[in-house]
Amino acid sequence: MMLKKWNPWLTGAVLAALMMLAPVLALAWSAVQGSAGLWGHLWANVLPTALFNTVVLLLGVGVLVTVLGTGSAWLVTAYRFPGQRLLSWALLLPLAVPTYIAAYAYLDVLHPLGPVQGLIRELLGYSSPREFRLPDIRHLAGCIVLLGFVLYPYVYLTTRALFMTQAAGLLEAARTLGATRAQLFRRVALPLARPAIAVGVALALLEALNDIGASEFLGVQTLTVSIYTTWVSRGDLPGAAQIALAMLLLVALLLMLEKRGRRRQRYASTLRPRPMQPQTLRGGMAVLAFVLGAMPVLIGFLVPATYLGWEALQRMRVAGVSPQLLQALWNTLGIALAATVVVMAVGLVVAWAVRLAQARRGGGLASACSRVTSLGYAIPGTVLAIGLLVPMGAADALFAELRSAIDGGRAQMFLMGSVVALVLAYTLRFLAIAVGGIEAGLARVPSSLDHAASNLGETSGGMLRRVHLPLLQPALAAAALLVFVDTMKELPATLVLRPMNFETLATWLYAEAARGTYEEGAVAALLIVLSGLLPVVLLARAGAAHGAQR
């Protein structure tokens, strides 16, 4: 019997999937190492408050992003008014502001000695914060509002895409039956959009669950904050793993709810997906529509971005840019570039393995590996980092034994506390972006090209290099940009795994906010926001191109 030819692409996909499963299994193993008394302590003193705050935070953010995202998507799709085209892409801008940067900005903007309260006191005739001050935003409600206004674009993006492709015939049929615009939205458009809303809300909640900076800045003890403080402050890996495991169960519940929400919705139409004709608004209604559409942009982007720009300008004018910040910028760019190269290389291996397997009428194992490698984006950065500590520690111990056996050298950590650990964490965290983007690009390449190259004697590697890579350049560039920007913004995993005295822009900002020196971190925050604008511009251009084809 002849043995099957070894498939290096499938082997690479399997290894990538095993790498993704390693931190999850290590997390469960670490949690088991904790004593029963530790579980009791966590349930009595840590988990009730952290779990309650996390659940309430997710519920509040879920409601707010649903209202803001769905409402704004319907507003710019169903109505035409002055400024509507501007709002259609401006509503994406909060995506450029990470949650911890928004919290960082608003803590200073709304401070009792800040510009907003100072202006209000001046208008009301008060001279001191002792005479008048607004309620403090450092509580759970403030965190919900802030995260909601920053994360709503996830719902806006998916829901507007569905509104733009809905069959106009269905909506026109409802209008002929006497439905008003409000009834049209509530009874027809909204039920049809539920799958898209579910996807957007799930993405927003995963981002809220991954957040550590905003929650900690605003004094909210969530599961993510508890994991970080348990490991960093107390050095308790089993305790951190147990909290992380509880958080992982919450992530699984969110994904199940999202999948169930989409599975129960089955809509089909034989009508051509012609978009609806927007209703033209004039006068006061047009002004009201623009104000309502502009409010999320103002709160989620313009206020924090303007504050950061002003503070950064003042800082650079007075003291310039510190060498430490320039080093943090260099570290950020270097680590983001290295991680992007690794992520794209691994993503290309996984996606190409799936393509080859599907061409051979198989693909079960390769597709399973692709799904497993996509789990990293759903796992919060803190959980992933804690899960990586055990396998990396075991690998360091193995390296130390091998070195000792070879040259008698003393033990040395190669992974723990190194840049390699960060690159590994970023790879697992953002591999889903690369795999999804490359698979989408490959899906647009006709399989006839594969058959032609194969008939000409081309190997799978040659086929990828000479045929598909030139055609994949747009998809590769878009995925690489998203990975690069997400790596620059990543805070939770970086805080846990970074080497000693290694600062990125995100950790620099976190440290300055912890010290209360907001003006020192404004430049770093502004650089992160400016980098985040790049994918937003791409999304806006894609949306404009789609609208032009309507």
Side-chain angles (χ1 to χ4, degrees):
M1 183 179 66
M2 294 182 60
L3 295 176
K4 277 189 175 182
K5 186 178 179 181
W6 176 59
N7 186 342
W9 304 101
L10 182 58
T11 303
V14 171
L15 290 176
L18 292 177
M19 286 176 57
M20 185 65 70
L21 291 175
V24 178
L25 298 176
L27 197 66
W29 185 84
S30 299
V32 172
Q33 303 306 305
S35 63
L38 180 58
W39 272 112
H41 169 76
L42 292 175
W43 279 110
N45 302 294
V46 178
L47 285 178
T49 301
L51 188 58
F52 173 80
N53 288 340
T54 302
V55 171
V56 173
L57 179 69
L58 294 180
L59 289 175
V61 171
V63 171
L64 192 54
V65 298
T66 300
V67 172
L68 292 175
T70 307
S72 58
W74 179 255
L75 181 69
V76 298
T77 306
Y79 299 97
R80 181 181 291 118
F81 51 89
Q84 176 257 342
R85 287 178 178 249
L86 174 66
L87 285 179
S88 65
W89 65 262
L91 283 162
L92 294 170
L93 289 175
L95 283 176
V97 184
T99 53
Y100 59 88
I101 287 183
Y104 169 87
Y106 273 107
L107 278 175
D108 207 28
V109 170
L110 299 179
H111 192 274
L113 299 178
V116 172
Q117 297 205 44
L119 178 61
I120 294 176
R121 283 195 299 270
E122 184 177 346
L123 293 175
L124 297 178
Y126 295 107
S127 59
S128 169
R130 295 179 181 178
E131 300 176 27
F132 174 85
R133 62 188 300 171
L134 295 175
D136 197 346
I137 67 168
R138 286 176 291 187
H139 50 68
L140 185 56
C143 193
I144 289 173
V145 172
L146 186 143
L147 293 183
F149 274 93
V150 173
L151 298 176
Y152 79 86
Y154 287 101
V155 180
Y156 167 78
L157 194 61
T158 57
T159 307
R160 183 171 182 249
L162 192 141
F163 284 156
M164 292 175 67
T165 56
Q166 279 182 346
L170 295 175
L171 304 177
E172 291 166 357
R175 290 297 301 272
T176 59
L177 293 175
T180 64
R181 207 71 176 181
Q183 292 173 329
L184 194 69
F185 170 71
R186 188 176 66 254
R187 297 183 179 180
V188 181
L190 192 59
L192 288 171
R194 280 178 61 183
I197 295 172
V199 173
V201 171
L203 290 173
L205 293 185
L206 288 174
E207 287 295 324
L209 200 57
N210 182 59
D211 168 74
I212 185 172
S215 301
E216 188 169 5
F217 294 164
L218 298 176
V220 180
Q221 183 189 359
T222 61
L223 289 172
T224 305
V225 174
S226 299
I227 293 169
Y228 177 69
T229 54
T230 300
W231 166 242
V232 174
S233 301
R234 297 170 49 193
D236 185 356
L237 180 57
Q242 289 175 349
I243 303 173
L245 199 60
M247 189 172 176
L248 204 56
L249 294 176
L250 189 58
V251 171
L253 179 62
L254 281 176
L255 295 177
M256 288 174 58
L257 290 176
E258 183 270 335
K259 187 176 180 181
R260 182 176 179 83
R262 287 188 293 114
R263 180 176 58 84
R264 297 183 63 183
Q265 300 298 318
R266 289 291 183 269
Y267 299 106
S269 174
T270 58
L271 300 176
R272 182 176 178 268
R274 176 173 53 87
M276 75 183 83
Q277 291 299 316
Q279 177 182 347
T280 301
L281 301 178
R282 294 181 176 85
M285 293 301 296
V287 174
L288 178 62
F290 181 80
V291 171
L292 290 176
M295 285 301 294
V297 182
L298 176 68
I299 298 173
F301 177 78
L302 288 179
V303 170
T306 303
Y307 160 80
L308 293 175
W310 174 258
E311 289 294 328
L313 183 63
Q314 294 296 103
R315 171 64 184 172
M316 289 188 291
R317 180 181 299 171
V318 173
V321 180
S322 67
Q324 293 83 3
L325 179 58
L326 291 177
Q327 182 61 48
L329 174 60
W330 176 254
N331 291 341
T332 303
L333 295 176
I335 196 75
L337 181 60
T340 301
V341 171
V342 175
V343 169
M344 295 306 298
V346 178
L348 187 62
V349 170
V350 175
W352 187 239
V354 174
R355 172 81 173 202
L356 292 177
Q358 291 173 346
R360 299 185 178 110
R361 299 292 187 267
L365 179 57
S367 298
C369 292
S370 176
R371 288 192 293 270
V372 170
T373 55
S374 299
L375 292 176
Y377 200 73
I379 301 175
T382 311
V383 175
L384 186 64
I386 293 296
L388 281 172
L389 292 175
V390 171
M392 287 193 303
D396 278 341
L398 178 60
F399 291 153
E401 290 183 6
L402 290 175
R403 181 177 180 182
S404 177
I406 294 173
D407 59 7
R410 61 179 182 176
Q412 181 180 353
M413 291 191 299
F414 293 92
L415 294 178
M416 295 283 287
S418 71
V419 174
V420 177
L422 278 181
V423 172
L424 178 59
Y426 294 154
T427 300
L428 298 181
R429 179 88 171 87
F430 302 119
L431 187 55
I433 299 175
V435 173
I438 296 172
E439 285 186 344
L442 287 172
R444 291 192 289 268
V445 179
S447 57
S448 57
L449 294 180
D450 298 24
H451 299 318
S454 180
N455 291 335
L456 292 173
E458 192 65 82
T459 63
S460 57
M463 190 190 309
L464 174 63
R465 185 176 67 256
R466 297 180 183 179
V467 178
H468 289 79
L469 281 182
L471 299 175
L472 284 175
Q473 287 182 8
L476 290 171
L481 176 61
L482 291 174
V483 172
F484 184 84
V485 172
D486 279 346
T487 302
M488 286 189 65
K489 298 189 296 184
E490 175 63 25
L491 176 64
T494 312
L495 284 174
V496 176
L497 296 175
R498 62 177 171 149
M500 292 291 292
N501 300 320
F502 183 90
E503 297 285 357
T504 65
L505 292 177
T507 60
W508 173 278
L509 173 63
Y510 179 86
E512 296 299 336
R515 287 191 289 264
T517 52
Y518 295 100
E519 66 281 358
E520 295 286 343
V523 180
L526 184 63
L527 290 172
I528 296 174
V529 171
L530 291 177
S531 71
L533 284 173
L534 295 175
V536 173
V537 171
L538 288 180
L539 287 173
R541 290 182 61 184
H546 182 81
Q549 296 172 1
R550 293 170 58 182

